[in-house]
Amino acid sequence: MTSNFPDRLGRPLRNLRLSVTDRCNLRCQYCMPEDEYVWLPKDDVLSFEEITRVVDQFVTLGVDKVRLTGGEPLLRSQLPVLIKMLAERPQLRDIAMTTNGVLLPKHAQDLKDAGLHRLTVSLDTIDPETFSMMTRRDDLERVFEGLRVAREVGFENTKIDTVAINGVNDGEFVELIEFARSASAELRFIEYMDVGGATRWRMDRVVTRDRILEILSAKYGSITEVARVDAAPADRFALPDGTTFGIISSVTQPFCATCDRARLTADGMWFTCLYAEKGTDLRQLIRSGMSDEALRNRLIEVWTDRSDRGAEVRAGMTDRAPLAEPANLRDNPHLEMHTRGG
Ligand code: SAM
Ligand code: SF4
Ligand code: SF4
């Protein structure tokens, strides 16, 4: 699809990820492995009015999909109010959320009522011990319950995202596929990424797309690739019985060439790439009284100058190591995946 505002590599802006909080109730070892974190100051966090004001300008550039994320988005108080405000904007044809699912039993009905379209639940294991080890919390039953309640209140096309890590959950891919099927959800494996926050990342802990397919073929037989319909990051596959699943191979086969995504942190920092070192401080612009038109012009200026292809650049590195050390992350929490929004 053509865009009035393509970036320097011809990519439109369609997809905006809104991180609504940097706080989280889990401590996944691939995202928040440290004991202490530096949090965004509360006064810096954008109000719902500020978020929707910015979203409205993004919409004029071509954004028609938003995804609420975090941190854990369900920790943001009154979140259904924001969803309702977004749902009142007909240009947004897709309003989704990525959540760890722990608080879904409590909130699923309100999310549905507010107009949320789709859910992605992150779940890396269905084994209680592995869950505790991976997340440093004992909330697996609540995630199961969350998936059940989400289905009960009418959510469809739910996805389950699983970060695949060698020696941690690579022995339960088949069980995860079966679990997702029983929960009427589609499983998507994510290659373990060396993003900010993943301070324990090592290349030999990444289960590659090829290895995932090898493991699943050994159990199910021949797997076929399903044709792509959009710029979504996952490649989709079908098992012989028609069950589909996805693989997001950001490490071994990055998809920057079609990347139409940008991220806004809870405090209004706008990043045009998951790996970008610098962002554009939209909070400062809107709180200094900038007009909508000037804000829109600034968005256009930044996007049309974009040439990011972070994952491709990293794939070309010979000695690949985590993006940032804990000390860099303490100095600059905006580098964190849980701040930037996955
Ligand atoms: N807390 C919510 C959740 O976990 O669903 C939303 C935010 S979380 C940062 C968004 C997604 O990023 C999750 O699916 C998580 O698994 C993924 N993620 C975090 N760190 C990752 C890493 N190092 N590699 C791959 N995926 C990662
Ligand atoms: Fe885990 Fe998501 Fe929290 Fe990161 S933000 S620690 S991925 S639940
Ligand atoms: Fe997009 Fe950056 Fe991810 Fe590449 S690394 S797909 S450009 S966000």
Side-chain angles (χ1 to χ4, degrees):
M1 206 186 289
T2 55
S3 160
N4 291 335
F5 305 106
D7 71 5
R8 289 213 267 158
L9 302 178
R11 299 166 298 185
L13 173 56
R14 298 235 183 276
N15 205 312
L16 185 63
R17 304 198 171 193
L18 296 170
S19 174
V20 290
T21 178
D22 59 332
R23 310 298 205 270
C24 193
N25 47 357
L26 297 184
R27 287 291 179 274
C28 303
Q29 56 158 274
Y30 50 76
C31 180
M32 300 185 73
E34 314 304 328
D35 291 330
E36 300 285 339
Y37 282 92
V38 176
W39 306 108
L40 300 177
K42 284 225 160 61
D43 286 347
D44 287 357
V45 172
L46 300 189
S47 67
F48 293 163
E49 285 71 23
E50 288 173 321
I51 294 174
T52 48
R53 179 177 169 207
V54 172
V55 167
D56 283 340
Q57 295 314 312
F58 274 115
V59 163
T60 71
L61 268 72
V63 165
D64 59 3
K65 296 171 90 172
V66 293
R67 174 171 294 275
L68 301 171
T69 178
E72 173 46 41
L74 293 178
L75 290 179
R76 176 80 188 246
S77 94
Q78 304 293 321
L79 191 66
V81 173
L82 174 64
I83 293 170
K84 193 157 178 296
M85 290 163 83
L86 294 170
E88 280 160 4
R89 289 156 163 82
Q91 304 94 324
L92 295 177
R93 60 181 178 90
D94 190 29
I95 304 172
M97 175 187 292
T98 302
T99 169
N100 61 33
V102 172
L103 293 171
L104 263 186
K106 191 167 162 206
H107 296 296
Q109 183 72 62
D110 290 344
L111 299 172
K112 186 73 189 160
D113 293 345
L116 184 71
H117 298 161
R118 295 187 302 124
L119 279 169
T120 298
V121 178
S122 304
L123 179 63
D124 309 311
T125 174
I126 53 169
D127 177 74
E129 270 178 37
T130 311
F131 186 92
S132 303
M133 193 268 285
M134 284 185 94
T135 67
R136 292 191 277 161
R137 301 289 185 272
D138 286 320
D139 288 324
L140 181 59
E141 284 301 326
R142 294 172 76 187
V143 184
F144 288 161
E145 177 69 359
L147 280 161
R148 194 189 60 71
V149 176
R151 195 170 152 196
E152 202 172 87
V153 302
F155 280 107
E156 292 175 354
N157 301 320
T158 298
K159 299 203 167 60
I160 296 179
D161 277 7
T162 297
V163 180
I165 305 188
N166 258 330
V168 177
N169 61 356
D170 54 330
E172 48 173 319
F173 292 170
V174 168
E175 286 79 0
L176 281 158
I177 290 260
E178 298 298 329
F179 171 77
R181 187 173 17 210
S182 71
S184 302
E186 182 171 286
L187 192 74
R188 301 192 308 179
F189 295 98
I190 309 179
E191 288 181 350
Y192 181 16
M193 289 185 271
D194 52 350
V195 284
T199 49
R200 315 273 157 97
W201 184 91
R202 287 199 327 252
M203 191 62 212
D204 64 7
R205 304 193 74 195
V206 177
V207 190
T208 64
R209 163 198 168 112
D210 290 351
R211 179 67 188 136
I212 294 166
L213 289 172
E214 190 178 73
I215 291 171
L216 295 176
S217 310
K219 164 74 182 177
Y220 294 107
S222 150
I223 292 174
T224 46
E225 190 158 356
V226 178
R228 226 168 218 295
V229 287
D230 55 23
D235 288 329
R236 292 180 69 235
F237 300 88
L239 300 177
D241 72 354
T243 302
T244 52
F245 66 96
I247 303 182
I248 302 181
S249 40
S250 332
V251 177
T252 63
Q253 293 185 30
F255 35 84
C256 302
T258 56
C259 177
D260 59 2
R261 286 172 290 284
R263 295 173 160 81
L264 187 69
T265 64
D267 65 343
M269 195 68 85
W270 177 35
F271 289 97
T272 54
C273 179
L274 195 48
Y275 288 95
E277 277 172 25
K278 291 206 168 66
T280 307
D281 187 349
L282 301 185
R283 180 188 77 253
Q284 193 255 321
L285 298 183
I286 57 176
R287 291 191 182 169
S288 67
M290 184 178 249
S291 70
D292 282 347
E293 193 189 354
L295 175 61
R296 176 170 191 264
N297 288 339
R298 182 74 187 122
L299 300 183
I300 293 171
E301 201 175 86
V302 172
W303 186 262
T304 53
D305 193 38
R306 173 189 191 238
S307 58
D308 303 281
R309 31 188 294 280
E312 287 181 355
V313 170
R314 294 194 69 79
M317 291 177 171
T318 40
D319 223 358
R320 206 164 163 177
L323 182 75
E325 296 295 323
N328 313 128
L329 295 164
R330 278 193 298 275
D331 288 346
N332 184 5
H334 283 112
L335 286 173
E336 297 271 11
M337 180 77 150
H338 71 266
T339 305
R340 205 160 272 212

